[in-house]
Amino acid sequence: MSLSTMLSTMSVGMLRTCGIFLLTLLFSLPLGMCIMLLRRSRFRPVQWITKIYIAIMRGTPLMLQLLAWYFGPYYLFGWSIRGYRFTAIIIGFSMNYAAYFAEIYRGGIESIPKGQYEAAEVLGYSHVQTFFKIILPQVIKTILPSVTNEIITLVKDTSLAFTLAYNEMFSLAKQIAASQTSFTPFIIAGIFYFVANYLVAFIMERIEKAFSYYQ
């Protein structure tokens, strides 16, 4: 198999990997915010349920969670899982990363001095105005390095989709390498992940500079 044919075959897997990455971010970032708000709820049962959820998501392997999301509906309810593979992957990734983002958000919000809220109240700001105009910009600046690390990890974790026999880029690289007895597909996969992570780091660095108070 020539290099061009190999790249053409793997390009399908690259698009699927990008799809997993983008959809996971699309769902997990706002979901993490909702989980964080529940985690900070004054209603104790909600707070404890959220704590347990976060503990499970962070304390068990993502690979195991993917298997649970995929086979769970069949074993528990007898539902058909035909055509459910990609959906299970997105649900698994989103629920897992939402837990991590929730804790990052919580750490950012709790790092803001209470004096900020009191000052906003004195100036006549409502709770919504205080959050979006005063608190949120500071939180974003604080949490960006941690969010960047999680996003970079997500790029690499997309390879775990092979657990559900989904032919993303890494799975195709393994298949081609086995059939052609060649190491080249792994090199191509490594370059893809490196470039993807470099782009993520570059974009996030630009965002961090945009939020810098000293620029």
Side-chain angles (χ1 to χ4, degrees):
M1 182 182 289
S2 65
L3 180 60
S4 60
T5 305
M6 201 175 290
L7 285 171
S8 177
T9 304
M10 293 181 66
S11 64
V12 176
M14 292 176 185
L15 289 175
R16 290 177 176 177
T17 294
C18 290
I20 295 171
F21 171 76
L22 293 174
L23 287 174
T24 299
L25 281 186
L26 177 65
F27 293 119
S28 63
L29 286 170
L31 181 59
M33 182 64 71
C34 295
I35 294 171
M36 180 274 295
L37 293 173
L38 293 175
R39 170 72 173 77
R40 288 170 53 83
S41 172
R42 294 180 181 178
F43 189 51
R44 290 288 183 180
V46 171
Q47 189 180 116
W48 280 105
I49 290 172
T50 309
K51 284 183 179 180
I52 292 171
Y53 164 79
I54 292 173
I56 292 173
M57 291 295 106
R58 297 199 304 170
T60 57
L62 176 55
M63 184 182 296
L64 177 61
Q65 294 170 29
L66 290 173
L67 291 170
W69 282 110
Y70 183 59
F71 293 107
Y74 175 75
Y75 287 120
L76 294 176
F77 310 109
W79 296 347
S80 171
I81 55 176
R82 180 173 297 179
Y84 174 62
R85 182 175 284 109
F86 183 71
T87 302
I89 289 170
I90 299 304
I91 292 174
F93 272 95
S94 299
M95 297 298 284
N96 178 272
Y97 272 83
Y100 285 93
F101 286 134
E103 287 299 276
I104 291 173
Y105 296 154
R106 185 174 68 87
I109 287 179
E110 291 182 355
S111 69
I112 304 299
K114 291 184 179 179
Q116 300 273 357
Y117 297 91
E118 295 169 356
E121 186 177 357
V122 170
L123 293 172
Y125 283 92
S126 66
H127 290 296
V128 175
Q129 289 175 323
T130 299
F131 181 77
F132 284 102
K133 292 185 177 181
I134 298 176
I135 304 303
L136 187 60
Q138 297 179 73
V139 169
I140 292 175
K141 183 180 185 296
T142 302
I143 67 174
L144 273 175
S146 298
V147 170
T148 300
N149 287 336
E150 287 302 318
I151 294 176
I152 289 174
T153 301
L154 172 59
V155 173
K156 295 177 286 186
D157 276 353
T158 54
S159 62
L160 292 176
F162 85 90
T163 306
L164 302 185
Y166 184 73
N167 285 329
E168 42 71 55
M169 202 237 356
F170 186 68
S171 297
L172 287 176
K174 291 195 301 179
Q175 292 174 16
I176 296 172
S179 63
Q180 300 295 316
T181 60
S182 171
F183 194 72
T184 304
F186 293 125
I187 296 175
I188 295 172
I191 293 172
F192 169 80
Y193 286 119
F194 176 80
V195 171
N197 279 325
Y198 180 83
L199 288 174
V200 167
F202 176 78
I203 292 171
M204 296 303 290
E205 183 181 359
R206 304 298 295 182
I207 295 175
E208 283 187 48
K209 287 183 178 179
F211 278 90
S212 176
Y213 305 140
Y214 305 103
Q215 293 293 325

